[in-house]
Amino acid sequence: MASSWTGNRVRLRAVEPGDWTAFARFADDDGPQGGRLDLPKSAESYRAWAKEQAVAECDDDRFRLAVEATATGELVGAVGSHRTGPRSGWFEFDITISAGHRRKGYATEAAVLLLRFMFAERRYHKCLAAVLAPNKASLALFRGLGFTEEGRLREHVFFAGRHHDLVMMGLLVNEFDRRHTMSEP
């Protein structure tokens, strides 16, 4: 392992302005997310987003990183911390892997790298995740990482013509350390 940001399958790195084409392709490849239909985005909106991400400051440990396959150098997704409660010691993160790169271990490894950083370096105590109940693959990913279902917000999110439950999951630092270790293997 070359650094704390590189695993066997993925490397986490800053989003670069030129990454906009990959993120636009991911949106096209995935189609409607879980049945939700979003408005089309222009190429310029993807360019502006990538440029903004490339110079964004890490505000209260909220950030977005590109997920790159180590074998090919190809951008395969993104991971980030998007909400934090520093006084209480919790954070939320999300991960997206493009459709053509799923089920190859990229999401698990990227999540472990991010969680290790947030727990060991930033000293957070708990990670939270909110997952749509119909998203069986994401639920399996989070359970495989050691997350526990802590509750459900019933019929909380509307898409595809009906309301769906939102599953709230949590992982404590000691649970992560037992399963994945706080230091690099």
Side-chain angles (χ1 to χ4, degrees), residues 10-129:
V10 300
R11 177 173 78 98
L12 304 185
R13 63 167 177 79
V15 173
E16 295 291 344
D19 292 338
W20 76 267
T21 56
F23 284 104
R25 190 175 61 253
F26 297 164
D28 287 343
D29 290 348
D30 284 346
Q33 297 295 303
R36 186 182 74 220
L37 182 61
D38 289 326
L39 291 171
K41 287 186 175 182
S42 68
E44 186 56 36
S45 71
Y46 285 106
R47 274 192 286 278
W49 176 86
K51 187 175 180 180
E52 178 182 298
Q53 291 298 305
V55 297
E57 296 289 324
C58 178
D59 183 29
D60 292 331
D61 289 326
R62 290 177 296 197
F63 55 88
R64 171 108 5 240
L65 297 171
V67 178
E68 183 179 271
T70 55
T72 63
E74 183 179 4
L75 186 64
V76 298
V79 63
S81 168
H82 58 87
R83 287 183 58 206
T84 62
R87 292 187 71 193
S88 299
W90 62 267
F91 69 98
E92 287 185 40
F93 90 102
D94 60 78
I95 187 159
T96 303
I97 301 295
S98 69
H101 296 96
R102 293 181 188 145
R103 301 194 193 326
K104 296 180 181 177
Y106 297 146
T108 298
E109 192 168 82
V112 168
L113 291 169
L114 177 104
L115 290 165
R116 187 173 287 132
F117 171 74
M118 294 298 282
F119 286 139
E121 298 300 324
R122 294 296 202 229
R123 298 183 181 184
Y124 282 92
H125 177 73
K126 182 178 185 177
C127 180
L128 300 169

Side-chain angles (χ1 to χ4, degrees), residues 133-148:
N135 191 339
K136 304 300 183 204
S138 288
L139 289 170
L141 168 69
F142 283 101
R143 286 186 183 113
L145 288 166
F147 281 75
T148 300

